[in-house]
Amino acid sequence: MDPQPNELGRSLGPVAIGAQAVGTVGLTLTAVINIPAAAAVAGRATWIAYAIALVAIALVSETLVLFRHQPAGAAGIAGYVEHGLGPRIGQLACWALLLGYGATLLACLAFLGFYIEALLRTLGLPLLPELSFLVGAVACWGMARRDVHVSTNTMLITETISALIVLGLCALVLRHGGTAADLTAINPLGDTATQVRSGLMIAVLSFIGFESAANLGGEALDPERAVPRALRTAVLVAGGLFLVWAMVLTEGLSWLPPAARLGLDPISTLADQLGRPGAGAWIRIGAFLCLFGSGLGCLTALTRVTYHLAEARVLPAALQVLHPRWRTPAAALNASLWPLVALGVALLHQRFSASRIYDLLGGFGVLAFLLVYGLVALAALGHPLPGVGTERRRGVAGAALAAVVAVGAGYISSLWSGQAALLLSFTALLGLGGVLVLRRRP
């Protein structure tokens, strides 16, 4: 049966769905950006923060798997919220996903521009930060508007190459340390709860994007199998690598001088010191590839939730228009990407560094996703699900809700103490979504 004029094509297999989940997480992104940031505030407790985050996100993942017989479609996991808590709350959750994917995309593009600028500088082709940012955004746009097979395969390739590069650096760290390495970075003695809490927020940010597999449920050939498998695989693969990297790379970072350790690109500096000349350039290439794949994954998910909100008449119906050849949400892509690009250019013009943009918008994204994760857990608690026993449903969803509330409460408390403006801006934008949902046309 041919798809309707505004209906997304259904053609994706399990590999493509898995690539969306793993690519959006951005494995190398965590190694190059998040782990150094976590180590700066959590020190030796970095791996403990990642272990706790893995347990919390694994519980969330298993809660999402409970909805395997309720394919979410373009709404992503907000579709699960709608199934359990009704259309209004589901659409508000979809709006929160729009905020989360938009903030995460902009954060990735900021660092993608930074690495494009760094790579061009090594070739003697310096470029202004704003232009480097635009180059990255246009590249993601060009790929996202094409056949979704192209974008998901690109994410799989770039993520595999970049992860192998970082694993090579880990081997260098272990080889350099040898039997003399005391591995103080993984010694939990002396760690404090404050250290763990500080690193936990960054650790949770590292996992964001795994749930984006559900956004392609409406385009999957077998969503009831492909989506749950992708959700589990992304969390387990990412969590395993993150734990290894948190232990090994934190040890390696401890060998750097404080100034280098707290710089914008400490992992490349570490590679230069431990490897052959030019090893840092390989790390930059890996970071570039990963950021491109992660940005592409966020943009793919963002356009789907925008498309769904247009279907629900929360946003203008014109945003449902698909590309005539590739049947991707072309109108939603343009409407969601270019305002973010304009905001990114404005921030860079005001001399916001890539690190500062990433910190602000990454925190914004964490708020959005924690909210939706909590709503999914509530939906599972309050509504029977086909093929799922009551005890299992309540046990998994209850544990996930408790984990999300604990992490979220700690994060909100820390924001209120130092970044209240970020918390208030998120509340205001969420309130705008609530108004749009309540005023939508039937």
Side-chain angles (χ1 to χ4, degrees), residues 116-117 120-121 125-133 135:
I116 289 175
E117 183 186 0
L120 290 177
R121 194 184 305 117
L125 300 170
L127 205 61
L128 290 174
E130 294 91 335
L131 291 177
S132 299
F133 175 84
V135 168

Side-chain angles (χ1 to χ4, degrees), residues 47-124:
W47 75 273
I48 300 175
Y50 271 91
I52 294 173
L54 172 57
V55 172
I57 296 300
L59 287 170
V60 172
S61 174
E62 287 305 306
T63 302
L64 301 180
V65 171
L66 296 177
F67 289 88
R68 61 185 178 274
H69 297 302
Q70 305 290 333
I77 62 174
Y80 304 153
V81 178
E82 183 171 343
H83 174 74
L85 301 179
R88 299 287 189 184
I89 302 298
Q91 289 154 15
L92 183 61
C94 196
W95 176 265
L97 286 180
L98 183 146
L99 297 179
Y101 285 126
T104 309
L105 170 63
L106 188 49
C108 289
L109 290 178
F111 254 113
L112 178 61
F114 168 79
Y115 281 103
I116 289 175
E117 183 186 0
L119 291 171
L120 290 177
R121 194 184 305 117
T122 62
L123 298 174

Side-chain angles (χ1 to χ4, degrees), residues 84-417:
L85 301 179
R88 299 287 189 184
I89 302 298
Q91 289 154 15
L92 183 61
C94 196
W95 176 265
L97 286 180
L98 183 146
L99 297 179
Y101 285 126
T104 309
L105 170 63
L106 188 49
C108 289
L109 290 178
F111 254 113
L112 178 61
F114 168 79
Y115 281 103
I116 289 175
E117 183 186 0
L119 291 171
L120 290 177
R121 194 184 305 117
T122 62
L123 298 174
L125 300 170
L127 205 61
L128 290 174
E130 294 91 335
L131 291 177
S132 299
F133 175 84
L134 282 173
V135 168
V138 170
C140 288
W141 171 81
M143 193 66 71
R145 68 193 292 267
R146 295 178 62 84
D147 186 340
V148 71
H149 286 92
V150 176
S151 60
T152 52
N153 287 336
T154 299
M155 283 185 279
L156 182 61
I157 293 169
T158 57
E159 200 58 55
T160 300
I161 294 172
S162 59
L164 289 174
I165 291 173
V166 174
L167 286 172
L169 175 60
C170 289
L172 286 174
V173 171
L174 294 173
R175 180 181 178 185
H176 178 83
T179 57
D182 58 10
L183 296 179
T184 57
I186 64 172
N187 182 358
L189 297 178
D191 295 335
T192 66
T194 300
Q195 284 179 281
V196 175
R197 186 169 60 249
S198 299
L200 183 58
M201 299 305 104
I202 301 172
V204 170
L205 173 61
S206 297
F207 285 94
I208 282 179
F210 84 95
E211 76 297 315
S212 67
N215 291 94
L216 297 184
E219 297 162 79
L221 292 171
D222 187 6
E224 293 188 18
R225 294 183 61 187
V227 171
R229 184 179 301 172
L231 293 170
R232 281 177 171 152
T233 300
V235 170
L236 293 177
V237 170
L241 287 174
F242 292 167
L243 283 176
V244 171
W245 291 345
M247 294 177 184
V248 177
L249 295 180
T250 303
E251 172 73 14
L253 288 169
S254 68
W255 303 337
L256 294 177
R261 196 185 312 150
L262 299 175
L264 268 179
D265 196 13
I267 297 297
S268 297
T269 303
L270 177 63
D272 279 331
Q273 290 196 9
L274 298 181
R276 297 176 180 178
W282 282 104
I283 294 295
R284 294 184 189 97
I285 291 171
F288 162 77
L289 292 173
C290 177
L291 283 161
F292 179 73
S294 188
L296 183 57
C298 286
L299 183 55
T300 299
L302 176 63
T303 56
R304 269 63 183 178
V305 296
T306 303
Y307 170 86
H308 177 77
L309 287 172
E311 278 189 315
R313 298 298 190 268
V314 175
L315 295 177
L319 298 183
Q320 296 179 74
V321 175
L322 304 181
H323 192 285
R325 177 180 175 185
W326 294 305
R327 303 200 64 77
T328 52
L333 169 65
N334 292 326
S336 55
L337 175 62
W338 298 119
L340 289 174
V341 171
L343 175 59
V345 170
L347 290 173
L348 290 169
H349 186 69
Q350 293 298 318
R351 298 296 181 264
F352 277 70
S353 68
S355 179
R356 178 62 174 159
I357 294 174
Y358 187 86
D359 288 344
L360 288 173
L361 295 176
F364 192 98
V366 168
L367 283 172
F369 285 103
L370 286 177
L371 172 61
V372 182
Y373 295 162
L375 289 175
V376 171
L378 281 174
L381 277 173
H383 196 280
L385 296 171
V388 180
T390 301
E391 290 185 4
R392 181 190 172 202
R393 173 175 58 85
R394 291 178 177 174
V396 172
L401 181 61
V404 169
V405 169
V407 172
Y411 189 41
I412 290 172
S413 175
S414 65
L415 284 178
W416 190 253
S417 301

